[in-house]
Amino acid sequence: MKLHLTRPLVFFDLEATGLNIATDRIVEISYYKVFPNGNTEGKTLRVKPTVIRHKTDAFGKPFVEETVMHIPEESTQIHGITDADVADCPTFREIAQDLADMLQDSDLAGYNSNHFDIPLLVEEFLRVGVKVNLKQKHCVDAYQIFVKNEQRNLASAYRFYCGKELENAHSANADTMATYEVLKAQLERYDLPDTIEALAEYTTGPARYADFAGRVGYDQEGQEIFLFGKYKNQRVADVYRRDKGYYGWLMAGDFPAYTRQVFTRIYLKTK
């Protein structure tokens, strides 16, 4: 079975300083863009991770402080990327607009991307102020297809579907290309939808979350509900009306920036 594309599909993979989407940063991104006419293009970029802080000088003038972030040794052991490897690489801020432009007309595909790569990418765009609405894109997760049918990791999926051993696992480029080959093989093996819209719903199900981190979901009436804490499964707007200080507590917590935006959007509707 061939995949019927109505617009480009970008396969991508990220390597990062860690697994916390609120505090960790991208150190490598690789993408492979497949166009409806069969043309392709790809690129792998190393990224110097930084922490951006918005400050005010002695005269009250705002400025941005950007400092380099250390890549923990335990992360280097996984993907092999060190501080020295990215010392002369661009920061995410420097490549963000080009990435946004590349993604503008495309849907997305990855391996376990709905739970890590996409939320982390959203956070990086938010930190540098580049607007990309990934909520409007169809996102296909080859991992979810695999879990529903075979339950293995990417290396095993590559071996199972493609009959090859995955060399340089946890290299963004190797993982990206392996995901592309795995999805093509899955389409051949299983009776799967052949459009990105239907395939995205197959891998993620109906929209369950209002944010990317899975902290806010929807009830049967389509109203936002908390998926954590003492107000779990209660409507966010109702909680705000009852507990006047809860929104402040949320905004002081260690939540991803996009989740904070969702908290605020609902809060403003209750005013």
Side-chain angles (χ1 to χ4, degrees), residues 95-169:
I95 66 170
Q97 191 58 60
D98 287 342
L99 279 177
D101 293 341
M102 185 275 295
L103 293 171
Q104 184 64 36
D105 62 346
S106 306
D107 291 314
L108 298 175
Y111 196 85
N112 202 30
S113 49
N114 288 344
H115 291 101
F116 179 72
D117 301 83
I118 289 176
L120 180 58
L121 189 60
V122 168
E123 290 300 297
E124 291 279 36
F125 278 126
L126 285 171
R127 290 183 192 110
V128 299
V130 173
K131 293 184 179 180
V132 181
N133 191 348
L134 298 189
K135 275 291 185 181
Q136 292 183 343
K137 298 183 180 298
H138 297 292
C139 301
V140 177
D141 192 336
Y143 171 73
Q144 293 302 322
I145 296 174
F146 197 36
V147 165
K148 288 183 177 184
N149 292 280
E150 305 295 343
Q151 299 186 5
R152 296 288 191 275
N153 57 28
L154 179 56
S156 298
Y158 195 56
R159 184 183 309 112
F160 180 86
Y161 290 111
C162 305
K164 305 174 186 177
E165 292 298 323
L166 179 55
E167 302 292 338
N168 298 319

Side-chain angles (χ1 to χ4, degrees), residues 201-219:
E201 177 152 349
Y202 179 86
T203 60
T204 63
R208 295 182 298 162
Y209 304 120
D211 66 333
F212 287 100
R215 298 304 185 92
V216 181
Y218 297 102
D219 62 16

Side-chain angles (χ1 to χ4, degrees), residues 2-266:
K2 282 192 174 182
L3 192 60
H4 295 167
L5 298 180
T6 57
R7 59 179 182 172
L9 180 62
V10 174
F11 292 81
F12 81 107
D13 185 74
L14 305 177
E15 303 301 335
T17 58
L19 299 176
N20 188 322
I21 64 173
T23 59
D24 282 306
R25 301 292 190 271
I26 294 170
V27 297
E28 186 175 68
I29 179 169
S30 185
Y31 69 84
Y32 188 68
K33 189 172 185 176
V34 183
F35 294 86
N37 64 3
N39 291 343
T40 62
E41 65 179 42
K43 184 178 288 187
T44 298
L45 296 167
R46 290 278 175 89
V47 183
K48 179 165 58 181
T50 61
V51 175
I52 296 175
R53 296 183 177 88
H54 296 272
K55 294 188 173 184
T56 304
D57 65 19
F59 301 98
K61 184 178 180 179
F63 69 96
V64 174
E65 179 184 82
E66 188 169 14
T67 57
V68 177
M69 184 176 183
H70 171 59
I71 302 175
E73 285 70 20
E74 55 268 28
S75 297
T76 296
Q77 289 177 3
I78 295 173
H79 50 55
I81 301 171
T82 67
D83 292 338
D85 292 330
V86 297
D88 297 322
C89 294
T91 65
F92 188 83
R93 176 178 52 79
E94 293 171 317
I95 66 170
Q97 191 58 60
D98 287 342
L99 279 177
D101 293 341
M102 185 275 295
L103 293 171
Q104 184 64 36
D105 62 346
S106 306
D107 291 314
L108 298 175
Y111 196 85
N112 202 30
S113 49
N114 288 344
H115 291 101
F116 179 72
D117 301 83
I118 289 176
L120 180 58
L121 189 60
V122 168
E123 290 300 297
E124 291 279 36
F125 278 126
L126 285 171
R127 290 183 192 110
V128 299
V130 173
K131 293 184 179 180
V132 181
N133 191 348
L134 298 189
K135 275 291 185 181
Q136 292 183 343
K137 298 183 180 298
H138 297 292
C139 301
V140 177
D141 192 336
Y143 171 73
Q144 293 302 322
I145 296 174
F146 197 36
V147 165
K148 288 183 177 184
N149 292 280
E150 305 295 343
Q151 299 186 5
R152 296 288 191 275
N153 57 28
L154 179 56
S156 298
Y158 195 56
R159 184 183 309 112
F160 180 86
Y161 290 111
C162 305
K164 305 174 186 177
E165 292 298 323
L166 179 55
E167 302 292 338
N168 298 319
H170 295 296
S171 155
N173 182 57
D175 288 357
T176 294
M177 299 309 298
T179 300
Y180 174 56
E181 291 188 48
V182 165
L183 180 57
K184 289 194 298 181
Q186 288 173 330
L187 289 166
E188 294 292 336
R189 180 178 291 265
Y190 304 119
D191 183 19
L192 296 172
D194 62 356
T195 67
I196 292 301
E197 294 85 352
L199 196 57
E201 177 152 349
Y202 179 86
T203 60
T204 63
R208 295 182 298 162
Y209 304 120
D211 66 333
F212 287 100
R215 298 304 185 92
V216 181
Y218 297 102
D219 62 16
Q220 292 183 342
E221 285 73 44
Q223 297 297 307
E224 296 95 342
I225 60 173
F226 286 113
L227 297 178
F228 68 96
K230 63 180 180 180
Y231 294 122
K232 185 175 180 179
N233 296 325
Q234 297 186 39
R235 289 185 175 179
V236 178
D238 290 346
V239 170
Y240 285 160
R241 294 186 183 99
R242 294 197 316 268
D243 187 339
K244 301 298 183 182
Y246 198 60
Y247 171 73
W249 179 85
L250 291 172
M251 298 310 290
D254 186 19
F255 294 101
Y258 190 86
T259 301
R260 291 169 182 268
Q261 288 189 353
V262 172
F263 290 154
T264 299
R265 173 175 55 78
I266 303 169

